[in-house]
């Protein structure tokens, strides 16, 4: 829920370092007002960046970026795995495991008095295991944790696991019920039974490989999955050497609270901030409003420029459904200019004007999508005259009222009476799905 930090402007260091860039896509609408999206901006300077492009695979998404783009990753995990992938270090697996053990023993990583139960060869070829409890108190509560290393291709994958012994003397009935409800393994065998299928399924992936089957991409690996039942987290950004002060990035997660303000949409948060700060609100708004993208029909955008530093601060955000992969709890796309020394607004000059920043934003967002369509998701943007893909309330700026109009699946979308040029710029967006077909 990164945007919850917007008003304090506390930016995670990984996001802004080396010009990271969160990505997403926004839809074109035929208006230049601050109440909605505009047609995708074009600009010779920006268009030239996209003469040659490449696709980036991360999580279940793919993003089309200029060929020069340099990539950086934050947390990218499915079911909290893998913990780490050590690229091109297969021959160093023993050294990697030994270094972890020494850090634990020396107190680094906040280990106080770790209890090492067992180290050595794991249950798979070319694998090592390290079983431990964090301290005596954790051991009394039956907590046994695992660090598991295994060689796959040229890399070393690090996984985590463990179990909680329900017969531990320090564990009460309430704790037993809680751990049972969370389906935490009870024994070492149960821990391996839960972890190993996941370990065996994950395979190496070249950086430029874009898998065509359902699953989850992490840097250097791919986890086939069509169950869509796991916790998933994605953080990825790019920098563009031609625009060295610009940062663009994408984050997504399908877990976390959606209660209260955690479930508020972007326009609600903006309204609260403006009311709270009044005349001290420090941003000029270049564009804002509803911005459905792909299947994320609740998407909204806020494109702003900081009055004091002059840096661009763009965000697209969609608040979805708890636990959903098709419509995650939250997707955030961020773009900044004037980034220097890991600090937004520090650069003396911006490499992009307002028009160029918006054109770059629109171009990148247009290339953000699911790598493989997810059955639970549905198309949310269609043009005039196209077949309505889902029953519900549909909105088109300048054509429909703010609350949208009701359309049935299979009917043609309205707007045929407008001239050809106007129709080309019109997009209908699903703002409230209704009926069994969704």
């Amino acid at each position: 829920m990164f945007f919850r930090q917007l008003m304090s402007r506390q930016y995670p260091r990984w996001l802004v370092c080396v010009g990271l860039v969160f990505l997403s896509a926004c839809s074109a609408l035929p208006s230049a007002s601050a109440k909605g999206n505009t047609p995708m901006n074009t600009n010779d300077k920006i268009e030239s960046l996209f003469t040659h492009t490449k696709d980036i695979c991360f999580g279940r998404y793919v993003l089309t970026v200029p060929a020069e783009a340099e990539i950086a990753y934050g947390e990218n995990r499915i079911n909290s795995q893998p913990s780490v992938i050590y690229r091109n270090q297969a021959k160093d697996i023993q050294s990697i495991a030994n270094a972890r053990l020494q850090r634990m023993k020396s107190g680094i990583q906040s280990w106080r008095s770790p209890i090492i139960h067992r180290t050595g060869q794991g249950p798979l070829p070319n694998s090592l295991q390290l079983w431990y409890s964090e301290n005596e108190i954790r051991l009394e509560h039956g907590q046994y944790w695992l660090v598991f290393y295994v060689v796959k291709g040229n890399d070393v994958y690090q996984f985590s696991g463990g179990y909680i012994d329900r017969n531990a003397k320090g564990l009460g009935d309430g704790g037993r019920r809680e751990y049972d409800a969370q389906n935490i393994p009870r024994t070492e065998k149960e821990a391996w039974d839960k972890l190993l299928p996941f370990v065996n399924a994950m395979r190496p992936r070249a950086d430029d490989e874009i898998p065509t089957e359902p699953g989850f991409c992490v840097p250097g690996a791919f986890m086939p999955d069509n169950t869509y039942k796991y916790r998933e987290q994605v953080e990825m950004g790019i920098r563009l050497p031609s625009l060295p002060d610009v940062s663009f990035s994408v984050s997504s997660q399908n877990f976390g609270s959606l209660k209260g303000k955690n479930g508020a949409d972007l326009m609600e948060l903006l309204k609260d901030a403006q009311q709270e700060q009044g005349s001290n609100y420090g941003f000029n708004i270049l564009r804002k409003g509803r911005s459905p993208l792909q299947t994320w029909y609740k998407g909204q955008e806020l494109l702003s420029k900081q009055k004091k530093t002059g840096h661009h601060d763009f965000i697209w955000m969609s608040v979805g459904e708890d636990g959903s992969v098709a419509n995650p709890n939250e997707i955030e796309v961020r773009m900044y200019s004037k980034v220097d020394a890991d600090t937004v607004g520090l650069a003396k000059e911006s490499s992009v004007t307002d028009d160029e920043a918006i054109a770059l934003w629109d171009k990148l967002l247009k290339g953000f999508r699911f790598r493989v369509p997810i059955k639970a998701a549905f198309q949310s943007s269609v043009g005039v005259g196209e077949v309505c893909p889902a029953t519900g309330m549909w909105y088109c700026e300048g054509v429909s009222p703010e609350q949208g109009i009701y359309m049935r699946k299979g009917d043609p979308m309205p707007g045929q009476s407008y001239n050809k040029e106007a129709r080309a710029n019109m997009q209908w967006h699903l703002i409230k799905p209704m009926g069994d077909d969704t």
Side-chain angles (χ1 to χ4, degrees):
M1 304 279 180
F2 175 75
F3 185 69
R4 315 300 167 186
Q5 302 169 349
L6 174 65
M7 294 309 111
S8 63
R9 254 48 191 187
Q10 298 172 347
Y11 305 107
R13 187 174 187 275
W14 87 266
L15 187 157
V16 296
C17 71
V18 299
L20 273 183
V21 189
F22 282 144
L23 306 147
S24 179
C26 91
S27 307
L29 287 175
S31 170
S33 73
K35 297 180 65 176
N37 287 337
T38 66
M40 190 180 75
N41 284 271
T42 58
N43 178 283
D44 290 343
K45 176 179 175 179
I46 301 305
E47 288 294 324
S48 66
L49 286 175
F50 289 82
T51 301
H52 301 287
T53 61
K54 62 184 178 183
D55 286 341
I56 301 170
C57 176
F58 58 104
R60 296 186 186 271
Y61 308 117
V62 67
L63 174 73
T64 300
V65 299
E68 70 171 43
E70 299 173 356
I71 310 162
Y73 296 97
E75 299 291 341
N76 288 271
R77 298 177 181 177
I78 176 171
N79 200 30
S80 301
Q81 307 288 358
S83 302
V84 185
I85 295 181
Y86 299 89
R87 305 294 297 274
N88 300 312
Q89 298 185 55
K91 66 181 187 304
D92 300 322
I93 181 173
Q94 187 67 63
S95 298
I96 292 170
N98 288 343
R100 172 63 179 259
L101 181 60
Q102 291 305 311
R103 289 198 302 271
M104 292 173 66
K105 289 182 175 179
S106 64
I108 300 175
Q109 295 183 325
S110 301
W111 304 104
R112 295 185 177 179
S113 301
I115 300 162
I116 309 301
H117 300 297
R118 187 169 75 257
T119 63
Q121 176 64 38
L124 299 178
N126 298 315
S127 69
L128 297 171
Q129 59 182 317
L130 191 167
W131 285 94
Y132 69 96
S133 296
E134 293 180 2
N135 51 48
E136 288 287 350
I137 295 177
R138 302 293 189 187
L139 179 58
E140 289 181 4
H141 285 78
Q143 297 182 12
Y144 296 82
W145 304 120
L146 166 68
V147 182
F148 181 58
Y149 302 93
V150 60
V151 171
K152 287 178 177 280
N154 296 321
D155 305 330
V156 177
Y157 291 45
Q158 177 182 317
F159 295 89
S160 59
Y163 67 96
I164 297 179
D165 182 0
R166 305 301 198 271
N167 296 317
K169 62 181 181 181
L171 189 62
D173 290 340
R176 293 185 181 92
R177 288 192 295 269
E178 179 182 350
Y179 297 138
D180 284 345
Q182 296 177 18
N183 198 30
I184 295 176
R186 296 167 165 265
T187 65
E188 181 176 329
K189 180 181 182 303
E190 288 185 10
W192 284 119
D193 288 345
K194 182 177 182 179
L195 180 62
L196 286 180
F198 212 86
V199 172
N200 289 327
M202 190 167 288
R203 63 167 177 80
R205 178 182 66 87
D207 291 336
D208 60 353
E209 179 194 351
I210 309 296
T212 58
E213 63 181 305
F216 193 91
C217 290
V218 299
F222 178 70
M223 174 66 191
D225 175 69
N226 60 3
T227 66
Y228 309 108
K229 66 180 182 180
Y230 296 111
R231 288 165 61 107
E232 298 185 5
Q233 181 180 13
V234 167
E235 295 175 344
M236 188 282 297
I238 65 168
R239 68 176 298 273
L240 301 170
S242 297
L243 306 173
D245 66 299
V246 174
S247 142
F248 192 91
S249 47
V250 178
S251 67
S252 170
Q253 64 182 45
N254 68 339
F255 56 91
S257 173
L258 289 175
K259 296 180 179 179
K261 287 300 180 183
N262 287 329
D265 64 32
L266 190 56
M267 294 301 103
E268 292 178 86
L269 295 173
L270 172 63
K271 181 180 179 180
D272 289 347
Q274 290 177 323
Q275 289 179 344
E276 180 180 338
Q277 298 179 27
S279 60
N280 292 323
Y281 184 74
F283 291 82
N284 291 319
I285 296 175
L286 306 179
R287 201 168 83 193
K288 68 175 182 177
R290 182 181 290 124
S291 179
L293 166 67
Q294 305 294 330
T295 60
W296 307 300
Y297 63 91
K298 294 182 179 179
Q300 297 176 337
E301 69 171 359
L302 173 62
L303 312 188
S304 304
K305 188 173 184 179
Q306 221 274 350
K307 296 177 181 178
K308 184 176 181 180
T309 66
H311 75 263
H312 296 97
D313 188 337
F314 293 0
I315 179 171
W316 180 94
M317 189 172 83
S318 173
V319 179
E321 305 165 11
D322 189 24
S324 172
V325 172
N327 291 292
N329 291 43
E330 187 165 284
I331 307 175
E332 290 184 1
V333 179
R334 301 299 301 247
M335 189 174 93
Y336 304 109
S337 66
K338 299 190 72 175
V339 177
D340 188 25
D342 301 346
T343 304
V344 176
L346 186 62
K348 292 182 180 180
E349 295 182 357
S350 173
S351 62
V352 289
T353 65
D354 292 352
D355 287 343
E356 290 167 348
I358 294 173
L360 177 62
W361 172 260
D362 287 341
K363 195 77 173 179
L364 287 167
L365 294 180
K366 186 175 183 289
F368 176 54
R369 59 209 183 271
F370 278 125
R371 179 179 48 81
V372 175
I374 297 178
K375 187 184 299 185
F378 45 85
Q379 185 180 0
S380 65
S381 297
V382 292
V384 171
E386 294 183 24
V387 174
C388 178
T391 299
M393 301 300 293
W394 288 79
Y395 170 83
C396 180
E397 184 163 346
V399 178
S400 72
E402 185 69 18
Q403 69 271 21
I405 63 172
Y406 178 79
M407 292 294 298
R408 290 182 178 274
K409 180 178 179 180
D411 289 343
M413 301 304 295
Q416 292 92 332
S417 61
Y418 288 82
N419 62 45
K420 183 177 180 181
E421 183 179 355
R423 293 199 304 271
N425 285 324
M426 290 180 185
Q427 284 286 301
W428 286 95
H429 303 286
L430 181 63
I431 59 176
K432 184 179 181 181
M434 304 167 66
D436 296 336
D437 57 274
T438 60

